[in-house]
Amino acid sequence: MSDNRFTDTRDRYPTRLTEPSDPIPREEPTVWGQESAGPLFETDLQSIEANGYLVQRSAVDDNWLSTLRGELNNIGAKADPEDPRIIREPGGSIRSVFQPHLFSDVIAEVVTLDTVLPVARQLLGSDVYLHQARINLMPGFTGTGFYWHSDFETWHAEDGMPAMRAVSCSISLTDNFPYNGSLMVMPGSHKTFYPCVGATPRNNHTSSLVKQEIGVPSQATLTEAAARYGIDQITGPAGTALWFDSNVMHGSGSNITPFPRSNVFLVFNSVENQLVAPYRAETPRPEYLAARDSQPFNIPSLVQ
Ligand code: 6CS
Ligand code: FE
């Protein structure tokens, strides 16, 4: 991985602009490792390279699922109302909990499962660390969605992530139906960077985590992208892992069904893609949203 185009920290993906700007073709690969380097097969690697996402059933088993659901309830019950890592819906219910692995050793252990860490390393072709971890909770009836966005757009602009060499693993703790706010993805959109209009306000994260308004493409851009790529809806039973590229366009609707939707969401970044100063924000976001220490906690297999 000595190709220095990809360790270059220049701003190759300008965003948060004053005027609309053309889409930028992606330079980096999506898959950095080989079949021989990990658990995924060549067909899986080709699928995530082409679509920007990959669904793996039974990434965690039923025992794990019930333990994890218990941990979720504990975190909710013990939540300190002043803790900035706990993001609430306007109505008061918990929407996200950041750094759940620091609230719960069981959640920390999920990172090290054979269905998780080796996959992240294989996809990114290097050692990895946790850039961000969160639990997302979408309760029945009141859970609200996430508007269309590319995660990389935010991580580049607000966190100083230089290259598209990060991948998210979302492990569902509940069944995902087409109708309970399951994720929508534009397959193939990860190969294009869509610059967004609008400067980053100071402390944007205090509102963006409830409702993202900056760093989202215009309706015209989304109309074009949806016509080009189509939209896949990701469904599957609890325990399914969804791997998705940092730059794939995705979002979710609200959940007005009685069926809650929750997931553990782990973002792995390559150790060769360490954060620099934010490209389009005055100050970096807090550590709980974007780890600047690439060895943020002591899981030996993560820090070798
Ligand atoms: O802020 C973040 O890191 C993540 N959350 C949102 C709502 N958008 C960008 C990114 O996915
Ligand atoms: Fe996202």
Side-chain angles (χ1 to χ4, degrees):
M1 297 307 144
S2 57
D3 186 337
N4 58 14
R5 270 182 307 157
F6 305 132
T7 46
D8 175 353
T9 58
R10 276 174 309 171
D11 186 2
R12 291 180 290 119
Y13 300 110
T15 185
R16 315 272 167 128
L17 308 172
T18 47
E19 297 293 332
S21 181
D22 286 344
I24 302 171
R26 176 189 187 128
E27 292 182 27
E28 302 89 326
T30 304
V31 174
W32 296 70
Q34 310 294 324
E35 184 185 41
S36 57
L40 298 183
F41 297 112
E42 188 59 37
T43 48
D44 300 323
L45 298 178
Q46 282 170 5
S47 169
I48 190 168
E49 177 71 43
N51 298 317
Y53 75 90
L54 180 72
V55 174
Q56 300 266 280
R57 295 274 169 110
S58 309
V60 299
D61 64 24
D62 289 347
N63 281 339
W64 267 100
L65 280 176
S66 54
T67 313
L68 285 169
R69 286 193 201 109
E71 290 297 282
L72 234 65
N73 291 336
N74 288 341
I75 294 174
K78 284 196 249 154
D80 172 356
E82 300 298 314
D83 191 328
R85 298 172 298 177
I86 297 178
I87 311 296
R88 291 179 186 273
E89 298 281 4
S93 66
I94 297 180
R95 174 175 171 88
S96 303
V97 177
F98 285 89
Q99 290 187 327
H101 55 290
L102 303 189
F103 287 90
S104 154
D105 289 345
V106 185
I107 296 177
E109 250 185 275
V110 171
V111 180
T112 64
L113 292 176
D114 286 347
T115 48
V116 179
L117 185 57
V119 174
R121 285 185 173 142
Q122 182 182 18
L123 289 170
L124 300 180
S126 69
D127 241 326
V128 298
Y129 71 97
L130 271 186
H131 168 68
Q132 183 190 90
R134 68 202 285 180
I135 298 168
N136 283 333
L137 295 129
M138 210 188 256
F141 300 114
T142 57
T144 60
F146 289 85
Y147 193 69
W148 292 106
H149 63 279
S150 142
D151 295 329
F152 177 76
E153 195 278 344
T154 292
W155 299 337
H156 184 69
E158 299 190 32
D159 300 336
M161 183 181 284
M164 296 174 185
R165 195 173 175 182
V167 69
S168 298
C169 174
S170 169
I171 298 172
S172 59
L173 303 182
T174 54
D175 294 341
N176 280 270
F177 304 108
Y179 42 74
N180 67 338
S182 55
L183 204 75
M184 295 179 279
V185 172
M186 295 190 191
S189 58
H190 61 302
K191 299 208 173 174
T192 301
F193 182 79
Y194 292 98
C196 297
V197 173
T200 312
R202 195 185 292 267
N203 284 330
N204 185 38
H205 66 274
T206 54
S207 59
S208 69
L209 301 171
V210 183
K211 187 167 189 271
Q212 185 175 356
E213 283 172 336
I214 297 294
V216 295
S218 68
Q219 291 184 359
T221 301
L222 289 168
T223 304
E224 235 174 76
R228 181 165 169 201
Y229 301 114
I231 296 174
D232 288 352
Q233 184 135 31
I234 315 295
T235 56
T240 300
L242 166 69
W243 290 90
F244 63 105
D245 179 79
S246 63
N247 189 49
V248 79
M249 194 62 71
H250 62 283
S252 56
S254 292
N255 182 12
I256 60 168
T257 75
F259 310 115
R261 185 174 88 90
S262 58
N263 54 59
V264 177
F265 186 90
L266 305 167
V267 181
F268 294 95
N269 188 25
S270 166
V271 294
E272 293 169 24
N273 190 32
Q274 303 216 4
L275 304 188
V276 296
Y279 290 92
R280 301 286 159 152
E282 275 176 37
T283 48
R285 298 196 299 175
E287 186 79 21
Y288 65 84
L289 297 176
R292 288 195 168 262
D293 178 355
S294 64
Q295 300 179 9
F297 60 99
N298 189 22
I299 291 181
S301 55
L302 268 183
V303 297
Q304 58 181 249

